[in-house]
Amino acid sequence: MFFIPTLPFLDSAIDFATISFIASLLLLSLFSICFIFHLRFKSKNSRHLQNFNSLWTVRFLFVFFITFWALSELLRLPIFRRLYFYPLSPELTVPQQANLCKVHLVLSLGFFEPGFLVTLLFLLDVSVKKTTNPRTYFGVFFVVTSCIPIFLLHIYVVFFHGTDKHFPELFHRSWYVFLNSHGDKTVLCSYPLLSTILLGVFGALFIFSFLVSFWRVVSHVINKALRFRIYALASTIVVALPLQVLLMTASVFWSPDKTVFDGVSLVVFLSTFTCAVVGEGILVIKPIADSLAAGEGERGESSRENSHGGRSSRPPPVVEDGICTV
């Protein structure tokens, strides 16, 4: 392991920065949920918006996964446990803090992150389907069942120690006890190499499937603005996900009490954070805003036609669900 001194003030600053990013993501997710339900209510009185609203449950699931991924990231922060767990309950013991680190790994890397990535892939793929009323409940079922294998594997790797005899400690170490200058014990969370390998295998399969859907969507898109959004989404995923796996692998070279480990953990967090923000912006907020604007335009056109007592020869704009809205 590389020797780099511990800087407590910098560690706290990194934790506060992480909490700030989590708070901003939660606000964005709340805004996305408001957008989803606003379109849901508007579509009841607009035939134009009904086709686009057909995937509202999948979009809500997408934001749900991102929201709870952000909340699960709080579990690994010692400053959060100290400020919010201790005032509400007796001081957590070392085994209890270690269990929080394990729960964080299983929920964050094993369920919520794979969940929102698979949902993102489903929304991208369905945008080029010809059907105007996709089966949203099938989409929810598909996303949840796709996450079960990696979720169960993470539970086995993190909570059951049958692999301890076959691998060095860095393969399965999910927590580390740090003794400060006052003699207080604090449990710091780490990334076991086996969990990183599982995420890497999932990431490789996901990126392959994502690129297949990406080229299919690009071949159907003519609008330059839509093409730019699709390329932005693809660039973010293809760069951020491998970077996350690479940095998680590199983190095993430092113990969790080193400042450089906190810096690496922050970049790991920001990699997923970027995917979540770009995904919500491109797959939820921007398409809904475009569809609402198109709906207002259609309503204004209908009002003008009624006021002139005639019919327009131009067909109303069509809004398809998914990323490709026109």
Side-chain angles (χ1 to χ4, degrees), residues 119-280:
T119 311
L120 181 150
L121 178 62
F122 181 85
L123 288 171
L124 179 67
D125 188 63
V126 81
S127 65
V128 293
K129 301 296 184 182
K130 298 302 182 182
T131 176
T132 58
N133 188 23
R135 299 178 180 178
T136 58
Y137 294 107
F138 169 77
V140 173
F141 176 78
F142 169 78
V143 169
V144 174
T145 54
S146 298
C147 299
I148 290 178
I150 189 172
F151 177 64
L152 295 178
L153 285 172
H154 266 90
I155 290 177
Y156 175 75
V157 167
V158 173
F159 283 100
F160 299 97
H161 301 283
T163 56
D164 288 9
K165 300 177 182 179
H166 307 288
F167 297 98
E169 182 184 7
L170 59 87
F171 277 83
H172 54 78
R173 186 185 66 185
S174 58
W175 53 278
Y176 173 89
V177 178
F178 172 66
L179 190 66
N180 62 21
S181 57
H182 301 288
D184 299 326
K185 292 181 178 180
T186 301
V187 172
L188 305 176
C189 299
S190 61
Y191 299 109
L193 194 54
L194 285 176
S195 290
T196 303
I197 292 173
L198 289 178
L199 184 63
V201 173
F202 169 83
L205 295 174
F206 171 80
I207 288 179
F208 174 78
S209 302
F210 178 84
L211 290 177
V212 171
S213 295
F214 164 74
W215 289 117
R216 189 185 304 124
V217 171
V218 167
S219 66
H220 284 77
V221 173
I222 301 176
N223 185 286
K224 290 184 179 180
L226 287 176
R227 185 179 289 267
F228 174 79
R229 296 208 299 260
I230 296 169
Y231 275 108
L233 179 64
S235 300
T236 302
I237 296 296
V238 172
V239 172
L241 189 55
L243 178 64
Q244 178 191 6
V245 175
L246 179 64
L247 290 177
M248 286 174 60
T249 304
S251 69
V252 302
F253 292 105
W254 297 280
S255 62
D257 62 324
K258 303 301 181 183
T259 302
V260 68
F261 180 90
D262 288 333
V264 170
S265 298
L266 177 62
V267 180
V268 168
F269 166 81
L270 288 177
S271 299
T272 312
F273 173 86
T274 304
C275 292
V277 170
V278 173
E280 284 192 3

